[in-house]
mmCIF file of all heavy atoms in Angstrom:
data_model
loop_
_atom_site.group_PDB
_atom_site.id
_atom_site.type_symbol
_atom_site.label_atom_id
_atom_site.label_comp_id
_atom_site.label_asym_id
_atom_site.label_seq_id
_atom_site.Cartn_x
_atom_site.Cartn_y
_atom_site.Cartn_z
ATOM 1 N N ARG C 51 32.719 -116.264 10.741
ATOM 2 C CA ARG C 51 32.771 -117.191 11.887
ATOM 3 C C ARG C 51 31.709 -116.803 12.920
ATOM 4 O O ARG C 51 31.121 -117.670 13.567
ATOM 5 C CB ARG C 51 34.164 -117.210 12.482
ATOM 6 C CG ARG C 51 35.173 -117.723 11.461
ATOM 7 C CD ARG C 51 36.368 -118.393 12.056
ATOM 8 N NE ARG C 51 36.989 -119.217 11.035
ATOM 9 C CZ ARG C 51 38.015 -120.024 11.262
ATOM 10 N NH1 ARG C 51 38.520 -120.127 12.473
ATOM 11 N NH2 ARG C 51 38.516 -120.742 10.299
ATOM 12 N N TYR C 52 31.482 -115.508 13.037
ATOM 13 C CA TYR C 52 30.426 -115.036 13.925
ATOM 14 C C TYR C 52 29.064 -115.575 13.459
ATOM 15 O O TYR C 52 28.257 -116.033 14.258
ATOM 16 C CB TYR C 52 30.424 -113.498 13.965
ATOM 17 C CG TYR C 52 29.227 -112.920 14.677
ATOM 18 C CD1 TYR C 52 29.131 -112.969 16.061
ATOM 19 C CD2 TYR C 52 28.175 -112.351 13.958
ATOM 20 C CE1 TYR C 52 28.011 -112.462 16.711
ATOM 21 C CE2 TYR C 52 27.063 -111.843 14.601
ATOM 22 C CZ TYR C 52 26.990 -111.899 15.984
ATOM 23 O OH TYR C 52 25.887 -111.411 16.632
ATOM 24 N N ILE C 53 28.825 -115.545 12.149
ATOM 25 C CA ILE C 53 27.567 -116.049 11.581
ATOM 26 C C ILE C 53 27.419 -117.554 11.836
ATOM 27 O O ILE C 53 26.347 -118.035 12.176
ATOM 28 C CB ILE C 53 27.476 -115.735 10.064
ATOM 29 C CG1 ILE C 53 27.349 -114.218 9.826
ATOM 30 C CG2 ILE C 53 26.335 -116.505 9.406
ATOM 31 C CD1 ILE C 53 26.009 -113.601 10.215
ATOM 32 N N VAL C 54 28.516 -118.300 11.664
ATOM 33 C CA VAL C 54 28.492 -119.745 11.922
ATOM 34 C C VAL C 54 28.062 -120.004 13.372
ATOM 35 O O VAL C 54 27.169 -120.815 13.642
ATOM 36 C CB VAL C 54 29.877 -120.383 11.645
ATOM 37 C CG1 VAL C 54 29.939 -121.823 12.140
ATOM 38 C CG2 VAL C 54 30.209 -120.335 10.154
ATOM 39 N N ASP C 55 28.685 -119.286 14.299
ATOM 40 C CA ASP C 55 28.363 -119.455 15.723
ATOM 41 C C ASP C 55 26.918 -119.058 16.019
ATOM 42 O O ASP C 55 26.233 -119.698 16.813
ATOM 43 C CB ASP C 55 29.324 -118.622 16.585
ATOM 44 C CG ASP C 55 30.774 -119.119 16.487
ATOM 45 O OD1 ASP C 55 30.998 -120.177 15.871
ATOM 46 O OD2 ASP C 55 31.669 -118.442 17.026
ATOM 47 N N LEU C 56 26.464 -118.000 15.364
ATOM 48 C CA LEU C 56 25.101 -117.507 15.537
ATOM 49 C C LEU C 56 24.074 -118.579 15.112
ATOM 50 O O LEU C 56 23.118 -118.852 15.834
ATOM 51 C CB LEU C 56 24.913 -116.240 14.701
ATOM 52 C CG LEU C 56 23.577 -115.514 14.765
ATOM 53 C CD1 LEU C 56 23.569 -114.555 15.956
ATOM 54 C CD2 LEU C 56 23.319 -114.728 13.486
ATOM 55 N N ILE C 57 24.291 -119.186 13.960
ATOM 56 C CA ILE C 57 23.370 -120.212 13.462
ATOM 57 C C ILE C 57 23.428 -121.457 14.359
ATOM 58 O O ILE C 57 22.400 -122.052 14.685
ATOM 59 C CB ILE C 57 23.663 -120.559 11.982
ATOM 60 C CG1 ILE C 57 23.392 -119.331 11.086
ATOM 61 C CG2 ILE C 57 22.811 -121.747 11.512
ATOM 62 C CD1 ILE C 57 23.831 -119.485 9.634
ATOM 63 N N ALA C 58 24.631 -121.823 14.790
ATOM 64 C CA ALA C 58 24.783 -122.976 15.696
ATOM 65 C C ALA C 58 24.000 -122.742 16.989
ATOM 66 O O ALA C 58 23.400 -123.672 17.539
ATOM 67 C CB ALA C 58 26.258 -123.217 16.004
ATOM 68 N N GLY C 59 23.975 -121.493 17.441
ATOM 69 C CA GLY C 59 23.235 -121.129 18.647
ATOM 70 C C GLY C 59 21.735 -121.352 18.521
ATOM 71 O O GLY C 59 21.020 -121.429 19.523
ATOM 72 N N HIS C 60 21.258 -121.484 17.275
ATOM 73 C CA HIS C 60 19.828 -121.764 17.045
ATOM 74 C C HIS C 60 19.562 -123.262 16.911
ATOM 75 O O HIS C 60 18.458 -123.674 16.558
ATOM 76 C CB HIS C 60 19.336 -121.020 15.805
ATOM 77 C CG HIS C 60 19.144 -119.553 16.040
ATOM 78 N ND1 HIS C 60 17.968 -119.034 16.535
ATOM 79 C CD2 HIS C 60 19.990 -118.504 15.890
ATOM 80 C CE1 HIS C 60 18.094 -117.720 16.667
ATOM 81 N NE2 HIS C 60 19.303 -117.378 16.278
ATOM 82 N N GLY C 61 20.597 -124.075 17.165
ATOM 83 C CA GLY C 61 20.387 -125.521 17.215
ATOM 84 C C GLY C 61 20.788 -126.307 15.980
ATOM 85 O O GLY C 61 20.220 -127.363 15.711
ATOM 86 N N TYR C 62 21.766 -125.809 15.222
ATOM 87 C CA TYR C 62 22.220 -126.501 14.010
ATOM 88 C C TYR C 62 23.715 -126.778 14.079
ATOM 89 O O TYR C 62 24.479 -125.924 14.534
ATOM 90 C CB TYR C 62 21.937 -125.641 12.764
ATOM 91 C CG TYR C 62 20.466 -125.406 12.535
ATOM 92 C CD1 TYR C 62 19.823 -124.305 13.110
ATOM 93 C CD2 TYR C 62 19.704 -126.282 11.762
ATOM 94 C CE1 TYR C 62 18.466 -124.087 12.922
ATOM 95 C CE2 TYR C 62 18.338 -126.062 11.566
ATOM 96 C CZ TYR C 62 17.728 -124.969 12.151
ATOM 97 O OH TYR C 62 16.378 -124.752 11.973
ATOM 98 N N ILE C 63 24.115 -127.964 13.608
ATOM 99 C CA ILE C 63 25.546 -128.195 13.372
ATOM 100 C C ILE C 63 25.887 -127.271 12.204
ATOM 101 O O ILE C 63 25.304 -127.408 11.124
ATOM 102 C CB ILE C 63 25.823 -129.656 12.951
ATOM 103 C CG1 ILE C 63 25.330 -130.640 14.012
ATOM 104 C CG2 ILE C 63 27.305 -129.848 12.654
ATOM 105 C CD1 ILE C 63 25.081 -132.045 13.459
ATOM 106 N N THR C 64 26.777 -126.328 12.404
ATOM 107 C CA THR C 64 27.023 -125.318 11.368
ATOM 108 C C THR C 64 28.488 -125.377 10.942
ATOM 109 O O THR C 64 29.380 -125.462 11.785
ATOM 110 C CB THR C 64 26.644 -123.913 11.885
ATOM 111 O OG1 THR C 64 25.347 -123.997 12.491
ATOM 112 C CG2 THR C 64 26.590 -122.911 10.757
ATOM 113 N N ILE C 65 28.693 -125.352 9.637
ATOM 114 C CA ILE C 65 30.044 -125.550 9.107
ATOM 115 C C ILE C 65 30.346 -124.563 7.987
ATOM 116 O O ILE C 65 29.517 -124.326 7.112
ATOM 117 C CB ILE C 65 30.214 -127.015 8.613
ATOM 118 C CG1 ILE C 65 31.645 -127.287 8.146
ATOM 119 C CG2 ILE C 65 29.204 -127.374 7.520
ATOM 120 C CD1 ILE C 65 31.948 -128.782 7.984
ATOM 121 N N CYS C 66 31.523 -123.953 8.037
ATOM 122 C CA CYS C 66 31.976 -123.080 6.946
ATOM 123 C C CYS C 66 33.260 -123.663 6.372
ATOM 124 O O CYS C 66 34.333 -123.528 6.964
ATOM 125 C CB CYS C 66 32.224 -121.657 7.465
ATOM 126 S SG CYS C 66 32.827 -120.546 6.167
ATOM 127 N N PRO C 67 33.157 -124.344 5.225
ATOM 128 C CA PRO C 67 34.350 -124.912 4.591
ATOM 129 C C PRO C 67 35.141 -123.826 3.859
ATOM 130 O O PRO C 67 34.587 -122.791 3.490
ATOM 131 C CB PRO C 67 33.779 -125.911 3.590
ATOM 132 C CG PRO C 67 32.287 -125.892 3.779
ATOM 133 C CD PRO C 67 31.941 -124.625 4.464
ATOM 134 N N ASP C 68 36.427 -124.090 3.655
ATOM 135 C CA ASP C 68 37.248 -123.184 2.845
ATOM 136 C C ASP C 68 37.011 -123.521 1.375
ATOM 137 O O ASP C 68 37.672 -124.392 0.816
ATOM 138 C CB ASP C 68 38.722 -123.355 3.213
ATOM 139 C CG ASP C 68 39.642 -122.543 2.316
ATOM 140 O OD1 ASP C 68 39.130 -121.666 1.586
ATOM 141 O OD2 ASP C 68 40.868 -122.777 2.341
ATOM 142 N N PHE C 69 36.065 -122.819 0.772
ATOM 143 C CA PHE C 69 35.764 -123.082 -0.639
ATOM 144 C C PHE C 69 36.874 -122.608 -1.574
ATOM 145 O O PHE C 69 36.851 -122.900 -2.757
ATOM 146 C CB PHE C 69 34.413 -122.471 -1.031
ATOM 147 C CG PHE C 69 33.237 -123.324 -0.653
ATOM 148 C CD1 PHE C 69 32.568 -123.138 0.551
ATOM 149 C CD2 PHE C 69 32.804 -124.350 -1.483
ATOM 150 C CE1 PHE C 69 31.489 -123.937 0.909
ATOM 151 C CE2 PHE C 69 31.727 -125.167 -1.143
ATOM 152 C CZ PHE C 69 31.069 -124.954 0.063
ATOM 153 N N PHE C 70 37.854 -121.880 -1.030
ATOM 154 C CA PHE C 70 39.007 -121.461 -1.837
ATOM 155 C C PHE C 70 40.144 -122.486 -1.764
ATOM 156 O O PHE C 70 41.217 -122.254 -2.312
ATOM 157 C CB PHE C 70 39.507 -120.076 -1.408
ATOM 158 C CG PHE C 70 38.486 -118.970 -1.598
ATOM 159 C CD1 PHE C 70 38.612 -117.771 -0.896
ATOM 160 C CD2 PHE C 70 37.419 -119.115 -2.460
ATOM 161 C CE1 PHE C 70 37.684 -116.739 -1.065
ATOM 162 C CE2 PHE C 70 36.483 -118.090 -2.634
ATOM 163 C CZ PHE C 70 36.624 -116.913 -1.931
ATOM 164 N N LYS C 71 39.917 -123.572 -1.051
ATOM 165 C CA LYS C 71 40.835 -124.721 -1.013
ATOM 166 C C LYS C 71 42.289 -124.325 -0.718
ATOM 167 O O LYS C 71 43.220 -124.771 -1.388
ATOM 168 C CB LYS C 71 40.758 -125.511 -2.327
ATOM 169 C CG LYS C 71 39.403 -126.125 -2.582
ATOM 170 C CD LYS C 71 39.236 -126.612 -4.009
ATOM 171 C CE LYS C 71 39.082 -125.464 -4.991
ATOM 172 N NZ LYS C 71 38.555 -125.876 -6.300
ATOM 173 N N GLY C 72 42.461 -123.460 0.263
ATOM 174 C CA GLY C 72 43.818 -123.082 0.667
ATOM 175 C C GLY C 72 44.449 -121.970 -0.150
ATOM 176 O O GLY C 72 45.510 -121.470 0.190
ATOM 177 N N THR C 73 43.799 -121.553 -1.238
ATOM 178 C CA THR C 73 44.332 -120.428 -2.017
ATOM 179 C C THR C 73 43.945 -119.124 -1.321
ATOM 180 O O THR C 73 43.069 -119.106 -0.464
ATOM 181 C CB THR C 73 43.784 -120.415 -3.466
ATOM 182 O OG1 THR C 73 42.369 -120.196 -3.418
ATOM 183 C CG2 THR C 73 44.079 -121.729 -4.172
ATOM 184 N N ASP C 74 44.605 -118.047 -1.684
ATOM 185 C CA ASP C 74 44.381 -116.765 -1.002
ATOM 186 C C ASP C 74 42.994 -116.212 -1.263
ATOM 187 O O ASP C 74 42.549 -116.145 -2.410
ATOM 188 C CB ASP C 74 45.392 -115.716 -1.476
ATOM 189 C CG ASP C 74 46.750 -115.907 -0.806
ATOM 190 O OD1 ASP C 74 46.789 -116.609 0.229
ATOM 191 O OD2 ASP C 74 47.749 -115.371 -1.306
ATOM 192 N N PRO C 75 42.308 -115.784 -0.196
ATOM 193 C CA PRO C 75 41.071 -115.029 -0.404
ATOM 194 C C PRO C 75 41.421 -113.638 -0.939
ATOM 195 O O PRO C 75 42.598 -113.284 -1.028
ATOM 196 C CB PRO C 75 40.476 -114.931 1.007
ATOM 197 C CG PRO C 75 41.644 -115.032 1.924
ATOM 198 C CD PRO C 75 42.661 -115.891 1.223
ATOM 199 N N TRP C 76 40.406 -112.873 -1.283
ATOM 200 C CA TRP C 76 40.621 -111.477 -1.654
ATOM 201 C C TRP C 76 41.019 -110.717 -0.390
ATOM 202 O O TRP C 76 40.440 -110.953 0.677
ATOM 203 C CB TRP C 76 39.346 -110.895 -2.244
ATOM 204 C CG TRP C 76 39.512 -109.501 -2.749
ATOM 205 C CD1 TRP C 76 39.110 -108.358 -2.124
ATOM 206 C CD2 TRP C 76 40.141 -109.085 -3.953
ATOM 207 N NE1 TRP C 76 39.441 -107.274 -2.873
ATOM 208 C CE2 TRP C 76 40.080 -107.677 -4.006
ATOM 209 C CE3 TRP C 76 40.773 -109.761 -5.006
ATOM 210 C CZ2 TRP C 76 40.607 -106.938 -5.063
ATOM 211 C CZ3 TRP C 76 41.288 -109.032 -6.060
ATOM 212 C CH2 TRP C 76 41.209 -107.641 -6.082
ATOM 213 N N LYS C 77 42.021 -109.850 -0.515
ATOM 214 C CA LYS C 77 42.470 -109.100 0.657
ATOM 215 C C LYS C 77 42.152 -107.620 0.486
ATOM 216 O O LYS C 77 42.069 -107.125 -0.632
ATOM 217 C CB LYS C 77 43.972 -109.310 0.880
ATOM 218 C CG LYS C 77 44.306 -110.739 1.286
ATOM 219 C CD LYS C 77 45.776 -110.966 1.543
ATOM 220 C CE LYS C 77 46.642 -110.948 0.286
ATOM 221 N NZ LYS C 77 46.262 -111.963 -0.712
ATOM 222 N N THR C 78 41.970 -106.928 1.585
ATOM 223 C CA THR C 78 41.617 -105.506 1.530
ATOM 224 C C THR C 78 42.721 -104.688 0.876
ATOM 225 O O THR C 78 42.476 -103.600 0.384
ATOM 226 C CB THR C 78 41.355 -104.956 2.950
ATOM 227 O OG1 THR C 78 42.412 -105.371 3.798
ATOM 228 C CG2 THR C 78 40.050 -105.478 3.490
ATOM 229 N N THR C 79 43.942 -105.249 0.853
ATOM 230 C CA THR C 79 45.068 -104.535 0.237
ATOM 231 C C THR C 79 45.200 -104.824 -1.257
ATOM 232 O O THR C 79 46.010 -104.212 -1.941
ATOM 233 C CB THR C 79 46.384 -104.937 0.941
ATOM 234 O OG1 THR C 79 46.418 -106.378 1.024
ATOM 235 C CG2 THR C 79 46.449 -104.372 2.344
ATOM 236 N N ASP C 80 44.416 -105.778 -1.770
ATOM 237 C CA ASP C 80 44.469 -106.105 -3.201
ATOM 238 C C ASP C 80 43.870 -104.963 -4.033
ATOM 239 O O ASP C 80 43.093 -104.166 -3.534
ATOM 240 C CB ASP C 80 43.695 -107.400 -3.487
ATOM 241 C CG ASP C 80 44.389 -108.634 -2.922
ATOM 242 O OD1 ASP C 80 45.598 -108.541 -2.634
ATOM 243 O OD2 ASP C 80 43.726 -109.671 -2.756
ATOM 244 N N HIS C 81 44.250 -104.923 -5.320
ATOM 245 C CA HIS C 81 43.766 -103.848 -6.190
ATOM 246 C C HIS C 81 42.537 -104.315 -6.969
ATOM 247 O O HIS C 81 42.539 -105.380 -7.572
ATOM 248 C CB HIS C 81 44.876 -103.409 -7.160
ATOM 249 C CG HIS C 81 46.051 -102.838 -6.442
ATOM 250 N ND1 HIS C 81 46.002 -101.609 -5.819
ATOM 251 C CD2 HIS C 81 47.286 -103.341 -6.201
ATOM 252 C CE1 HIS C 81 47.166 -101.375 -5.243
ATOM 253 N NE2 HIS C 81 47.962 -102.405 -5.449
ATOM 254 N N TRP C 82 41.490 -103.463 -6.961
ATOM 255 C CA TRP C 82 40.241 -103.841 -7.625
ATOM 256 C C TRP C 82 40.417 -104.089 -9.118
ATOM 257 O O TRP C 82 39.634 -104.813 -9.722
ATOM 258 C CB TRP C 82 39.164 -102.782 -7.378
ATOM 259 C CG TRP C 82 38.658 -102.838 -5.971
ATOM 260 C CD1 TRP C 82 38.815 -101.891 -4.992
ATOM 261 C CD2 TRP C 82 37.919 -103.902 -5.347
ATOM 262 N NE1 TRP C 82 38.235 -102.309 -3.819
ATOM 263 C CE2 TRP C 82 37.672 -103.535 -3.999
ATOM 264 C CE3 TRP C 82 37.440 -105.130 -5.795
ATOM 265 C CZ2 TRP C 82 36.973 -104.348 -3.103
ATOM 266 C CZ3 TRP C 82 36.741 -105.947 -4.898
ATOM 267 C CH2 TRP C 82 36.517 -105.554 -3.580
ATOM 268 N N ALA C 83 41.470 -103.509 -9.704
ATOM 269 C CA ALA C 83 41.742 -103.745 -11.129
ATOM 270 C C ALA C 83 42.000 -105.233 -11.398
ATOM 271 O O ALA C 83 41.777 -105.727 -12.496
ATOM 272 C CB ALA C 83 42.941 -102.918 -11.576
ATOM 273 N N ASP C 84 42.469 -105.953 -10.384
ATOM 274 C CA ASP C 84 42.777 -107.383 -10.541
ATOM 275 C C ASP C 84 41.596 -108.287 -10.183
ATOM 276 O O ASP C 84 41.698 -109.507 -10.241
ATOM 277 C CB ASP C 84 43.960 -107.769 -9.618
ATOM 278 C CG ASP C 84 45.195 -106.927 -9.908
ATOM 279 O OD1 ASP C 84 45.396 -106.573 -11.083
ATOM 280 O OD2 ASP C 84 45.946 -106.622 -8.961
ATOM 281 N N PHE C 85 40.477 -107.664 -9.803
ATOM 282 C CA PHE C 85 39.369 -108.449 -9.251
ATOM 283 C C PHE C 85 38.785 -109.443 -10.263
ATOM 284 O O PHE C 85 38.490 -110.592 -9.920
ATOM 285 C CB PHE C 85 38.263 -107.523 -8.720
ATOM 286 C CG PHE C 85 37.178 -108.247 -7.984
ATOM 287 C CD1 PHE C 85 37.459 -108.910 -6.803
ATOM 288 C CD2 PHE C 85 35.873 -108.280 -8.467
ATOM 289 C CE1 PHE C 85 36.467 -109.605 -6.108
ATOM 290 C CE2 PHE C 85 34.874 -108.959 -7.783
ATOM 291 C CZ PHE C 85 35.172 -109.624 -6.600
ATOM 292 N N ALA C 86 38.641 -109.018 -11.510
ATOM 293 C CA ALA C 86 38.066 -109.901 -12.543
ATOM 294 C C ALA C 86 38.913 -111.164 -12.717
ATOM 295 O O ALA C 86 38.372 -112.271 -12.821
ATOM 296 C CB ALA C 86 37.932 -109.151 -13.865
ATOM 297 N N ASP C 87 40.227 -111.003 -12.712
ATOM 298 C CA ASP C 87 41.126 -112.159 -12.836
ATOM 299 C C ASP C 87 41.016 -113.062 -11.613
ATOM 300 O O ASP C 87 40.997 -114.292 -11.737
ATOM 301 C CB ASP C 87 42.584 -111.705 -13.002
ATOM 302 C CG ASP C 87 42.841 -111.111 -14.383
ATOM 303 O OD1 ASP C 87 42.047 -111.412 -15.301
ATOM 304 O OD2 ASP C 87 43.801 -110.337 -14.541
ATOM 305 N N TRP C 88 40.942 -112.437 -10.451
ATOM 306 C CA TRP C 88 40.818 -113.208 -9.212
ATOM 307 C C TRP C 88 39.521 -114.031 -9.240
ATOM 308 O O TRP C 88 39.498 -115.201 -8.868
ATOM 309 C CB TRP C 88 40.844 -112.258 -8.002
ATOM 310 C CG TRP C 88 40.760 -112.981 -6.692
ATOM 311 C CD1 TRP C 88 41.801 -113.477 -5.950
ATOM 312 C CD2 TRP C 88 39.561 -113.320 -5.974
ATOM 313 N NE1 TRP C 88 41.326 -114.103 -4.820
ATOM 314 C CE2 TRP C 88 39.948 -114.029 -4.808
ATOM 315 C CE3 TRP C 88 38.203 -113.108 -6.205
ATOM 316 C CZ2 TRP C 88 39.034 -114.505 -3.876
ATOM 317 C CZ3 TRP C 88 37.279 -113.595 -5.279
ATOM 318 C CH2 TRP C 88 37.704 -114.282 -4.129
ATOM 319 N N MET C 89 38.440 -113.396 -9.719
ATOM 320 C CA MET C 89 37.147 -114.082 -9.797
ATOM 321 C C MET C 89 37.187 -115.270 -10.760
ATOM 322 O O MET C 89 36.566 -116.298 -10.500
ATOM 323 C CB MET C 89 36.033 -113.116 -10.226
ATOM 324 C CG MET C 89 35.392 -112.360 -9.094
ATOM 325 S SD MET C 89 34.468 -113.371 -7.902
ATOM 326 C CE MET C 89 32.884 -113.564 -8.711
ATOM 327 N N LYS C 90 37.945 -115.124 -11.856
ATOM 328 C CA LYS C 90 38.065 -116.243 -12.808
ATOM 329 C C LYS C 90 38.671 -117.459 -12.119
ATOM 330 O O LYS C 90 38.315 -118.594 -12.396
ATOM 331 C CB LYS C 90 38.928 -115.834 -14.012
ATOM 332 C CG LYS C 90 38.145 -115.094 -15.073
ATOM 333 C CD LYS C 90 38.950 -114.993 -16.375
ATOM 334 C CE LYS C 90 38.380 -113.915 -17.271
ATOM 335 N NZ LYS C 90 39.094 -112.643 -17.218
ATOM 336 N N ALA C 91 39.601 -117.197 -11.215
ATOM 337 C CA ALA C 91 40.274 -118.283 -10.498
ATOM 338 C C ALA C 91 39.463 -118.768 -9.290
ATOM 339 O O ALA C 91 39.784 -119.783 -8.690
ATOM 340 C CB ALA C 91 41.661 -117.817 -10.052
ATOM 341 N N HIS C 92 38.438 -118.013 -8.929
ATOM 342 C CA HIS C 92 37.581 -118.383 -7.787
ATOM 343 C C HIS C 92 36.121 -118.295 -8.236
ATOM 344 O O HIS C 92 35.413 -117.360 -7.896
ATOM 345 C CB HIS C 92 37.824 -117.447 -6.602
ATOM 346 C CG HIS C 92 39.230 -117.437 -6.110
ATOM 347 N ND1 HIS C 92 40.226 -116.700 -6.718
ATOM 348 C CD2 HIS C 92 39.821 -118.071 -5.062
ATOM 349 C CE1 HIS C 92 41.364 -116.891 -6.058
ATOM 350 N NE2 HIS C 92 41.143 -117.721 -5.061
ATOM 351 N N ASP C 93 35.712 -119.285 -9.011
ATOM 352 C CA ASP C 93 34.384 -119.236 -9.634
ATOM 353 C C ASP C 93 33.322 -119.792 -8.681
ATOM 354 O O ASP C 93 33.384 -120.967 -8.306
ATOM 355 C CB ASP C 93 34.431 -120.055 -10.930
ATOM 356 C CG ASP C 93 33.141 -119.980 -11.731
ATOM 357 O OD1 ASP C 93 32.123 -119.497 -11.187
ATOM 358 O OD2 ASP C 93 33.140 -120.422 -12.894
ATOM 359 N N PRO C 94 32.330 -118.965 -8.285
ATOM 360 C CA PRO C 94 31.302 -119.465 -7.366
ATOM 361 C C PRO C 94 30.376 -120.516 -7.978
ATOM 362 O O PRO C 94 29.589 -121.134 -7.270
ATOM 363 C CB PRO C 94 30.513 -118.205 -6.983
ATOM 364 C CG PRO C 94 30.790 -117.215 -8.060
ATOM 365 C CD PRO C 94 32.131 -117.542 -8.624
ATOM 366 N N MET C 95 30.499 -120.735 -9.301
ATOM 367 C CA MET C 95 29.716 -121.795 -9.953
ATOM 368 C C MET C 95 30.472 -123.134 -9.924
ATOM 369 O O MET C 95 29.989 -124.123 -10.451
ATOM 370 C CB MET C 95 29.444 -121.465 -11.428
ATOM 371 C CG MET C 95 28.772 -120.138 -11.687
ATOM 372 S SD MET C 95 27.163 -120.078 -10.923
ATOM 373 C CE MET C 95 27.365 -118.598 -9.973
#
């Protein structure tokens, strides 16, 4: 959100959509062993 505000300050309408569509982001308390599965469900492609 800081980055969004920073770019807007340079004169752009700046928007950060929830690309996870309401599903849980990765949390600092999550276990890295589950990361591959999480990535399958959140494909950046």
Side-chain angles (χ1 to χ4, degrees):
R51 298 208 161 185
Y52 171 74
I53 293 289
V54 170
D55 295 353
L56 182 85
I57 295 172
H60 285 273
Y62 297 89
I63 302 158
T64 312
I65 184 166
C66 179
D68 174 13
F69 278 94
F70 298 160
K71 297 166 287 196
T73 64
D74 281 343
W76 185 258
K77 293 181 289 301
T78 48
T79 49
D80 290 341
H81 297 289
W82 287 113
D84 303 326
F85 187 64
D87 288 339
W88 182 88
M89 273 295 277
K90 276 193 198 99
H92 301 81
D93 185 347
M95 305 298 126

